[in-house]
Amino acid sequence: MHCIEMDHLLKNLQHDLLRMGAMVEEAIYNGVQSLVKRDADLASAVLDGDEKINQLQLEIEDRCIKLIATQQPMAKDLRKISATWRISVDLERMADNVGDICKAVIRLNGQAYLKPFEHIPQMADLCQKMVKDGLDAYINEDVALAVQMSEMDHQVDTLYREIFKDLMEMMSANSNVVNQGNQLIFIARFLERFGDHATNIAESVVYLVTGQRKDLNK
């Protein structure tokens, strides 16, 4: 009976983590769309939705604590609860990064952009895929997918370096674009941090499945 109850509680926990992940994916998409379309209203709407993500993370955290206290899980079940808790924290921090992007969009206040966007949407697409693949790896306990997903972080880092270089060159050539250039660098930096959090999710999956801590940044 205890095992059946534990399985049920863990499945409910997984369901809420997936729901949280879907909310973060949507926030990433809408946050970058608000940038591309210069839509401050959409950016504000994404910011307003951040509180729901924060609240869900706190609920997941609270249930993890109660599960550990009341069910006294062992081995794999304990690792699953720990991984769920850690992944929820990384998802919440990703949502905070989206919020920072939206604040930058609002500060830009509909300015015409220095050049058409190319790399920033590419970074956002990779970040969304990393969230999806990370949660798929978690549900299916797929270490290979987790490692593969973490390797996308290198692509995100490469795109960030290209964006940084391009914008620095433009700001050096024209001091009038420094404010916008800085805001766009901040936005790219927040997306780059997504990759770091996604790598943390991959490491949580590896720990869940193997019981071993592995640094996937190497």
Side-chain angles (χ1 to χ4, degrees):
M1 182 68 181
H2 174 79
C3 290
I4 294 173
E5 181 184 5
M6 174 63 84
D7 286 345
H8 176 70
L9 293 170
L10 288 174
K11 278 186 170 55
N12 285 342
L13 201 58
Q14 286 180 334
H15 173 76
D16 282 347
L17 188 70
L18 290 178
R19 186 158 60 93
M20 185 179 179
M23 292 166 69
V24 172
E25 283 186 68
E26 182 179 13
I28 297 169
Y29 176 79
N30 286 332
V32 173
Q33 284 298 301
S34 76
L35 171 69
V36 172
K37 296 178 179 179
R38 294 182 290 174
D39 189 339
D41 289 339
L42 180 56
S44 295
V46 174
L47 280 170
D48 290 342
D50 185 52
E51 183 55 37
K52 293 180 181 178
I53 295 174
N54 292 342
Q55 186 58 43
L56 184 52
Q57 192 281 321
L58 290 173
E59 290 173 11
I60 290 171
E61 182 174 310
D62 184 57
R63 284 162 58 198
C64 286
I65 293 170
K66 287 179 179 176
L67 272 175
I68 293 170
T70 62
Q71 302 296 318
Q72 298 181 330
M74 301 295 289
K76 184 71 173 287
D77 285 344
L78 181 58
R79 294 202 306 273
K80 185 165 287 187
I81 294 168
S82 174
T84 302
W85 187 347
R86 290 176 61 194
I87 291 171
S88 76
V89 171
D90 279 303
L91 288 173
E92 191 273 331
R93 288 175 180 166
M94 287 178 167
D96 288 343
N97 291 150
V98 174
D100 290 328
I101 289 170
C102 290
K103 289 173 186 175
V105 171
I106 293 168
R107 286 194 295 270
L108 286 168
N109 196 29
Q111 295 176 28
Y113 292 135
L114 304 175
K115 56 181 290 189
F117 286 125
E118 179 182 355
H119 295 320
I120 286 179
Q122 288 175 5
M123 287 180 78
D125 288 345
L126 282 169
C127 290
Q128 283 180 265
K129 182 167 174 51
M130 290 172 84
V131 173
K132 181 182 183 303
D133 286 355
L135 292 172
D136 285 346
Y138 161 77
I139 289 297
N140 298 315
E141 299 185 8
D142 188 337
V143 169
L145 180 58
V147 172
Q148 177 184 320
M149 179 269 284
S150 72
E151 290 171 352
M152 290 185 219
D153 187 30
H154 300 308
Q155 298 176 52
V156 173
D157 290 341
T158 297
L159 288 169
Y160 171 71
R161 287 192 292 269
E162 290 179 10
I163 292 167
F164 183 85
K165 178 176 176 291
D166 287 348
L167 289 171
M168 288 300 294
E169 288 176 353
M170 294 176 76
M171 288 189 289
S172 296
N174 183 359
S175 62
N176 293 326
V177 304
V178 167
N179 177 62
Q180 184 180 138
N182 281 330
Q183 294 301 321
L184 295 175
I185 286 174
F186 289 149
I187 287 168
R189 177 59 178 155
F190 293 135
L191 285 170
E192 192 270 338
R193 288 178 184 168
F194 268 80
D196 296 336
H197 292 306
T199 298
N200 290 344
I201 291 174
E203 290 173 355
S204 293
V205 172
V206 173
Y207 170 69
L208 162 62
V209 178
T210 68
Q212 297 179 345
R213 306 283 185 186
K214 185 174 182 180
D215 185 356
L216 295 177
N217 282 309
K218 293 182 178 179

